[in-house]
Amino acid sequence: MVNKEFTPWYFQPEIAKVYESFYEGKYKDADIQEKNLLKFLIDQIDDVNEILEVGCGTGHFTRWLNSLGYNVVGADISPVMLGVAKELWTDGKFVNAKAEFLPFKDKSFDVVLYVACLEYMPDLVKVFQEAERVARKGIVMGLMNKWSLPTIRRIIQVKLGKNPYYCNARFYSLLTIKRKLRQALEGKNYEFLDWRCAVFPRVFRVRGLLKIPFGGSFLGFGVKFK
Ligand SMILES: C[S@@+](CC[C@H](N)C(=O)[O-])C[C@H]1O[C@@H](n2cnc3c(N)ncnc32)[C@H](O)[C@@H]1O
């Protein structure tokens, strides 16, 4: 049965207002590791200058990319998340748009980037086809790794009705992402980037960007076009 009352958290102004505070709290260290992984991936693509960050939310990573010297545009489906993004970076370029239908001409950016948002996009093949249309050089993504304890915990919480943030989310593994990319890019000339996982639980006593497909809660992957 469809719940007509359901409004995803990212359309709720009171949640959008406090969203950035998560990065200052317990996710501060994870944030550093996630940025290291995203930079590691972007650096595998030659001469990246212009980046479109799809699902940019409050612009946390958009501002970071700007601070690294990239020309960046943020796009997001949620006007309330973008409202905060514009307050935090008044000169930033932000566009209200859906990942599946981007309002940009073909090959407008070097790279299309996604951070922690593919989970909310049910039709990944359509999303990646749209990224391929607007990107000249490649696609980069960081997402919650399905094969990790924090994600498994979230799946259980959702099943118990205890986590409203992920009740409309899907969690992907490296294998699923590869399959979706192959489907989306069929007939195109591309190669996969060198993937890594980051943000391993402390009990694992490992840190950094590791080529282990399970354990790390943040999976970084992408493609570059030939
Ligand atoms: C967890 S937030 C991530 C925001 C930002 N990337 C970050 O990591 O701080 C997920 C974002 O995806 C956006 N989103 C969900 N579905 C989308 C879609 N189909 N097209 C564009 N943005 C979408 C939401 O509005 C939300 O801002």
Side-chain angles (χ1 to χ4, degrees):
M1 207 168 79
V2 176
N3 177 3
K4 290 187 178 156
E5 301 298 312
F6 177 72
T7 303
W9 63 266
Y10 40 84
F11 287 115
Q12 299 178 31
E14 62 281 8
I15 297 181
K17 258 184 241 157
V18 299
Y19 180 83
E20 286 273 337
S21 65
F22 292 110
Y23 290 113
E24 287 309 313
K26 64 176 183 167
Y27 293 113
K28 200 166 185 167
D29 185 51
D31 183 40
I32 295 167
Q33 296 185 54
E34 291 176 8
K35 286 171 176 163
N36 287 342
L37 177 45
L38 295 169
K39 185 73 173 95
F40 169 78
L41 294 163
I42 294 168
D43 284 348
Q44 293 176 41
I45 302 174
D46 292 335
D47 300 321
V48 175
N49 182 32
E50 288 160 342
I51 299 181
L52 173 66
E53 192 204 347
V54 175
C56 67
T58 54
H60 181 79
F61 291 93
T62 331
R63 297 191 304 279
W64 167 69
L65 292 164
N66 175 63
S67 75
L68 296 182
Y70 296 108
N71 288 327
V72 60
V73 175
D76 199 282
I77 198 173
S78 163
V80 296
M81 294 293 273
L82 288 177
V84 176
K86 287 173 191 164
E87 271 172 33
L88 293 173
W89 183 18
T90 47
D91 295 335
K93 290 185 204 145
F94 294 102
V95 178
N96 190 200
K98 284 183 78 170
E100 297 82 352
F101 302 98
L102 297 170
F104 301 104
K105 291 186 182 151
D106 295 0
K107 308 297 170 198
S108 303
F109 300 90
D110 292 326
V111 162
V112 170
L113 172 78
Y114 308 91
V115 189
C117 59
L118 292 173
E119 293 80 356
Y120 299 99
M121 301 174 188
D123 189 351
L124 280 196
V125 173
K126 173 78 189 140
V127 166
F128 292 149
Q129 283 171 337
E130 191 62 348
E132 191 278 333
R133 185 184 67 75
V134 303
R136 289 185 284 266
K137 298 183 179 174
I139 304 171
V140 172
M141 66 196 78
L143 62 151
M144 282 174 225
N145 182 12
K146 186 173 185 180
W147 295 340
S148 69
L149 290 176
T151 306
I152 292 167
R153 194 179 61 231
R154 285 170 184 141
I155 292 169
I156 294 168
Q157 286 170 339
V158 168
K159 288 212 188 303
L160 296 174
K162 288 190 175 163
N163 195 327
Y165 296 103
Y166 298 106
C167 56
N168 65 329
R170 284 163 183 75
F171 298 100
Y172 300 108
S173 65
L174 177 65
L175 290 185
T176 307
I177 291 291
K178 278 188 175 173
R179 183 163 46 81
K180 300 280 179 185
L181 280 167
R182 281 196 190 100
Q183 279 176 260
L185 304 179
E186 204 184 333
K188 310 281 178 190
N189 205 0
Y190 67 93
E191 67 185 59
F192 286 142
L193 299 182
D194 189 15
W195 64 271
R196 288 289 187 281
C197 282
V199 195
F200 288 80
R202 274 169 220 266
V203 289
F204 280 37
R205 294 175 181 273
V206 290
R207 207 185 137 82
L209 313 181
L210 301 181
K211 205 157 183 167
I212 304 174
F214 52 86
S217 62
F218 193 69
L219 165 66
F221 193 44
V223 296
K224 64 175 164 184
F225 306 138
K226 294 195 208 165

